Amino acid sequence: MAEKSAKNPEPAAALDASAHTVIRSIVAQSREVNERLSEDELRKIRKYLVANRVDDFLSEKSDVVSLIEMYPFLFNSLLLSPGLGEYRTVACDTLTVWIQRTSQCCLHSSGFTTRLQQETTAGSANDADIVFDFVCEYWSDSGAALGNALRELFMKTISLIERVWTVDERTERLGKWIDRILMYPRNMRVVYFTTEILARQLGGHIILAKDPAIIHDSLQLTYSNALANPVLKMITAILVTIRKSEIEALGKKPDPEALEAVEKKWIEIWGSEVVSALRNDNLRSHVQIYLLPNIFRISAVAFGLFIKELQKQPLHTEIDISVFIGCLKVGQDLALLDEASNTSVLPSDFLRGLLHHSSEDLRIGGLSLAVSSPQASKPISPTTLDILTEAFDDLILESDPEFRNRVYGFMRQMTTRIRDSCYALAREQKKCIITSNVSRAKEIEAQIAANVKFLNGYLDYLRELLRPGSSYQRIHMSLKLLKVLIRAGLDDRVDAKWHEKNHIDFPFNIPIFTPKTVRVLLDNLMNNYEDVRDASINLLKMAPVSALLEDGVDKKLVVDGYGEKGLRMIKGLRGREGDGGARIMDFCYYLYGKLGDGGDWEAKFLNNFIGILESAIQEAERNLSLAVKDYPLHGYFTGLRFIFEQIDYNSEKAKGKALYWNKVHERLLRLAFSVWGIVEKILCHDSPEGNLPEELEEQYLASLEEEYGPATQLILSYAWRAIGESSALLTVLLSRIPDDESKLLDDKAVTDLGNLLLSELATIRHRGAFSSVYPTFVACCTRCNLSTSNKLIGLPAKWLEENIQLIQSKAQYITRRSGGLPFLVAGVLTAEINPDRPLLQKTFDRLAEIAETPAYLSDEKIDLPQVHALNCIKSIFVEARLSGPSAFFIDRALAMAINAFASEMWSIRNCGVMLFAALQTRLFGSRKFTDSRLTVGTMSARLFFSRFKNVKDILLQHLKEHVYQLGSLEASHVETVYPVLSLLSRLEGTNGYSGLAAFRPLIMSCLSSRIWKIREIAARSLLALVSTASWVETYRDLADDLSRSNQNGTHGRLLALKVLLESFTSRSSQPEIPVEVYIDLASKFEDMVKCGCSPNILAFLRVCKSVVDYPSAAGVHAEAPKSILKHKFYDFVLSSFRTTENGVGDRLLQEQIIGYLTERCVQRLVRNSNDKEALNILNDCIRTGSYIGTIVSLQIISEHVDEFALSACEELITPVWMTWCESTWSQVRSATIRLFSALLSRLKQWNGQPVYATFEGLYAAIDLQIAEANTVSEAALEALGPLVASLSMSTGGNDYHSRWNSVLEVFSDDDATNFRKPFSTRKASLASIISFVQTVLELQLQNSETIFLREAYFKLLDFLSDDDQALREIATDFICTFILKSKYITTCVYCEKSFAKLLIDMFGNTTETFNGLGLFAERKVIGTESPARQIEDAFTPDLSLFVVEKQNLYINEVQDAELWAEMIMQLFGKAGDSDTKETSLKRLTEWEASALKLLLKAINLHGNDGPFGWTSNAEVFGFGRRIIEVYRMLKRCKSVQVEIEAAFNELRRLANDKDLHSLWNLEI
């Protein structure tokens, strides 16, 4: 609001005399009471200020209220503004407009300026400082509206002081503001907002003079979404003002060389820092989005110089490439990079490499450079289109949804650019024809043809992604991209209403809605995923009717056939079947409306559909046990919901059928009541999840349970789905049926429906059913509130009153979470339309009164009204639509929650905790406390208590009552203190705010509590009292108290010190930890480590560690004291790590000491591999005997193995092996053997004992008899890899290799048909294979390629299609680096293709290796099972109630078959006319003959297919595609037998007669 008024004041409006009178009355009244103005009064003054011109205020007319008169009240209102609602925003906005008007008056009249300074404090240094403090305090936690208002207030305040102060005064004051704001914690956004504004006022050179490191330090915070934009805007302001001043210093016509020198000097200020940030994965994106465009936009010269510097560096690493293409993209967007330079820096091979790169960012960068252009009509080159076609798989099939969304955006951009460029080319071609420029016209024709070819291929690709059995991401992405093409107008048959805005026609037409496309879209109406079904039906409704119902057929008969299939599906027990059938019925209703023959088929279809549902409900009323199986209800209600969502009651067609719609609505409401009668007993049972009504138990057949699963599960699913979908239908009816004189839904029906919903919510026990009915109840209340009928408008309030009475009187059907009562209360309040929310205010007061009624232990029972009141209050704050109105009650709710902690009743205390947790989440967000307070939702203490003024006293009172009682044995004191402290721990200290001083002695007392958790939370809470200015003082107080406290007190203060030190960067105004901290800790060291209390020693060591690890700038004066403390620390650690374990505290201390010592020795060993002392200590740490200590030591060493010299590895491997042999703890053994494997991979060979003995020891540890490998077996398997490689060339090497292979066969299984091994087991298998291959390659064993690597390579190839992305990426990384020796790491898809081709070259030359590779490839094409088993499995119905997801969603059997069919053809090409080729062809021929025979038999058995038919089954479809691929291979090899040719011709004939799936592509 402020921005609007400040930048573009509303035009002056003529004011009558009453307006002046009103404002004068407000001012006079305010002068008498000396209080802040009301929000309404502020709005009136703002309007008055906007409406009056500057001349009106300067003319001093008697009726115009003086600006000078208004100021004290506006200023006072700002300072006293409450934090809730819009008051503070309105106060800021009003004062901003006043300042703007005042500044304008000062500009026009020096006399006014004099009066302003003499008669008011406006513009004074004191008031300006107050405004500055106010802005700094509330900007950091403001929403958009308040943030904009504060920004404008700050800017207009600066504008005013420009008018009333001298330049020197202004510069001095703004300089002091800069000093103050730079003292604030750097994680506060206000630092950057204000510094940006001040930099534009004073110049960036002043900012850099005060803080030379501000650019570097601020860039490090741009990983945060909240900070990135303000930080980079500030940096931009600093740099832009510096450049401007330097250029202005050159004069009006600067010399080009001098100008370039200035640009180079300017780049020196920020260039290296920006490049460093760009090289950081966490910072790069934000720097490219928010900083580089702003810098390069003002200086194209700087862009050119910057790019030249980047090009000097070789583009070897992913980071180098990311930085380079990111900058190119910025230049491209700013039109600084023309097409010629783009081609020179991005040659085709480089672009191809980018689009296949494993890095998602690089692929996106390459795609962006390929399809983006500052000229939208610039054609994309044919070469680029070909490269894009090759990269479709790597762009569109990625599993990461964020990546797919980014690709989607660029593919939209590509489509638009192709359309616009082709449109421009077509216009140019017409001109060329007119001017007889034939050669250019032919060039254009070729360019357009290239685009047509690309789009046809693109459409074919997207259509193929929609085939049965495709994974979710393939189908979802294809549907989105098809919609882009449709809305772009590629198919000119599509109605123009579906086109996007600013539409331009393609100069050609490509049909999108072909029979193949329509078929796969219809298939996906039955997809398991709801969003896929929704997208499919939406695309079908965009299609021209002629594409859906072809000419020459009986269209009604076709739709009738769809309806019959839909009804068969809708009877399915499983949710996906009912939903799929419902979508088909929705589509049928749509098609009936398009027949247009006057038959009113829609109404007939709807009547018939409702009638079928009525019959199903009657069956359920007669025999529910049979109806559960044969007549599920949810699909019918879902279908009706879809239908009524598309009915337009305001259309002329609907308006003329009021009587018809009345009857339809009556029938639907009766059905809803009937459903409730059927399922009530099931859903209202005290334990609905395990309940089977007695009458059903007698009727339910055991055979049904065997077929569909447990009876209770089946019946409960039937019940809650029925009530859920019927409620969803009612929600649609209540929301869409107009409430007018037609009375399509009369008042009585709404009333009865409301009473039904009340009954359901009050009695249901099933939580899923609660959630289903609640939106319907809200819709019903909303309809009543919006109604013009007196009978309805008061109903929600009446229902609410009854519900509150229910809380107090009846609770026999209420659970401990109050069942549906909170939904009943929240539903009515959510639907309230009065902006003043009187019902919410009244209800909260009533609930608070009930909740605050004293309850005593003798009264404890499950139906306590206080419990239900607290639960209802919680529901108000949880409901998102009440988030704004409920904010005014947060302080009262906090008070109630805290009061509940002290109740004698557990049930009330439990509800208090739940309410408190909900409020805390509401206030601070759902993130939990972590080590980094930057990631935790916190709030300024001053801001928090300004919003919730009563909370501070409540918190303080509770702490006073309970803190000093913590020593007693009563748990209620802890249960009260802990939540209060947890709330305080979410507050941030603020400079100059002393409002929490009364809490300090209480928190300090908690630091001495005998309860550890209280001490911990008190340590965190203390930070709420610490500001940047008081950090050092707080440290001194805590450190001085260490010697004066008991052991608990000492421990609490040490915990507080650690938290304080961890918060140093955000809490202290100093860049380095003060020297006195190092000196103080060193002086206390001896006493603290000899205190005799292990937990305190451990806490003190952790404090010291956090200090000695704190990064110090080179040459700081604290280095010597820091070194002294570090020596003391490690001397103690070294002397104490062998301490004998006694209690738990001693063990924890020893484990931590071992960790510190191991870390220290590893650092020494990395620097000096000959450090014998470090090696000996590490040996002792590994074999210390402490369970956790050994594991910690092994983990730390493992993290640094790659940094050790080989000599150090040789020294470590023996003690590691001995630990493995001696230890009996499985976790120690697994950690030990993993480290042994890593060391052996570095050394390749170990002479500690014979290699075969090591192999046998590890092999014996692997248990092949259990279903899941344990950690020891996994670790042993990893270690076997390099050992097998070493043994492979020895005597009997084949035996070791074969035993290792047998283990891998068991542990690397990712087959969905078997028990799928867990991730960790498959990862261990992959690690073993990788270490084996790497060792073989590095040892360069003879015949390694043909003898030992083949099976390992095949297994690696399998891992490229593993379900877990992490394993695919590990395998890809290794293959690209060590086997393919690629320049870049590619995607898994591209790597698989490249690796397969390499295998053909490697293993396709000899009979032995050819057979192995050929069999592997054949399995990929025809599957591992026989044709008979495959087709049997394909036609076996899945009767499970819920969908069981495929084990591996990544594998695409059809695509794999196509890929490996091509690989086999390449193998055949290398084999010539060899016997091995003939043998392979014979196997394929036998499989094809058998499979074709079985498929033809199945076709004759199952008959006609068509949409929603049996070939839409993913397994059947895949089986058919395998047959077609094998036939294609045999055809290319000219090896098709007569019988197979005849069978395939019969398949073609039947495909046409039976309407088999069009994507089988039988045209060969």
Side-chain angles (χ1 to χ4, degrees), residues 98 321 534 659 757 776 821 840 847 1083 1095 1120 1218 1254 1392:
W98 182 92
I321 302 171
D534 290 347
L659 182 60
L757 296 170
T776 311
L821 270 178
L840 175 61
L847 292 173
S1083 67
M1218 295 305 297
T1254 308
E1392 183 178 16

Side-chain angles (χ1 to χ4, degrees), residues 654-666 742 744:
K655 285 182 178 178
K657 301 168 65 176
L659 182 60
Y660 164 77
W661 287 120
N662 266 319
K663 292 181 178 179
V664 168
H665 297 154
E666 287 175 8
S742 63
L744 298 182

Side-chain angles (χ1 to χ4, degrees), residues 37 42 70-81 91 95 98-99 121-124 126-132 134 153:
L37 304 174
L42 286 171
M70 298 181 196
Y71 176 72
F73 313 110
L74 298 181
F75 191 67
N76 191 49
S77 296
L78 177 73
L79 299 185
L80 298 177
S81 58
L95 183 59
W98 182 92
I99 293 173
T121 58
S124 66
N126 183 62
D127 282 15
D129 284 345
I130 291 174
V131 169
F132 177 76
F134 186 90
L153 174 63

Side-chain angles (χ1 to χ4, degrees), residues 24-137:
R24 189 167 298 284
S25 172
I26 291 172
V27 171
Q29 184 178 358
S30 301
R31 184 181 294 113
E32 293 176 5
V33 298
N34 197 28
E35 293 180 355
R36 63 181 173 89
L37 304 174
S38 69
E39 185 174 328
D40 182 59
E41 290 171 336
L42 286 171
R43 293 182 187 278
K44 290 177 179 178
I45 292 177
R46 180 189 179 280
K47 182 178 179 181
Y48 183 81
L49 290 168
V50 170
N52 279 278
R53 298 186 299 271
V54 173
D55 292 341
D56 295 329
F57 290 114
L58 290 176
S59 64
E60 298 185 0
K61 297 178 181 177
S62 58
D63 56 344
V64 177
V65 182
S66 167
L67 290 172
I68 293 175
E69 287 184 73
M70 298 181 196
Y71 176 72
F73 313 110
L74 298 181
F75 191 67
N76 191 49
S77 296
L78 177 73
L79 299 185
L80 298 177
S81 58
L84 298 175
E86 298 181 2
Y87 186 96
R88 184 169 289 150
T89 303
V90 174
C92 286
D93 199 24
T94 306
L95 183 59
T96 299
V97 178
W98 182 92
I99 293 173
Q100 183 182 17
R101 280 286 183 257
T102 302
S103 297
Q104 293 168 345
C105 290
C106 291
L107 181 64
H108 288 80
S109 171
S110 58
F112 181 86
T113 305
T114 303
R115 281 191 57 205
L116 181 72
Q117 293 176 304
Q118 291 176 349
E119 299 180 24
T120 73
T121 58
S124 66
N126 183 62
D127 282 15
D129 284 345
I130 291 174
V131 169
F132 177 76
D133 289 337
F134 186 90
V135 169
C136 291
E137 182 62 34

Side-chain angles (χ1 to χ4, degrees), residues 470-486:
S470 277
S471 61
Y472 168 79
Q473 62 262 27
R474 295 166 185 264
I475 298 174
H476 183 258
M477 193 67 172
S478 175
L479 293 170
K480 289 179 67 175
L481 293 175
L482 275 175
K483 186 175 181 180
V484 170
L485 293 174
I486 294 167

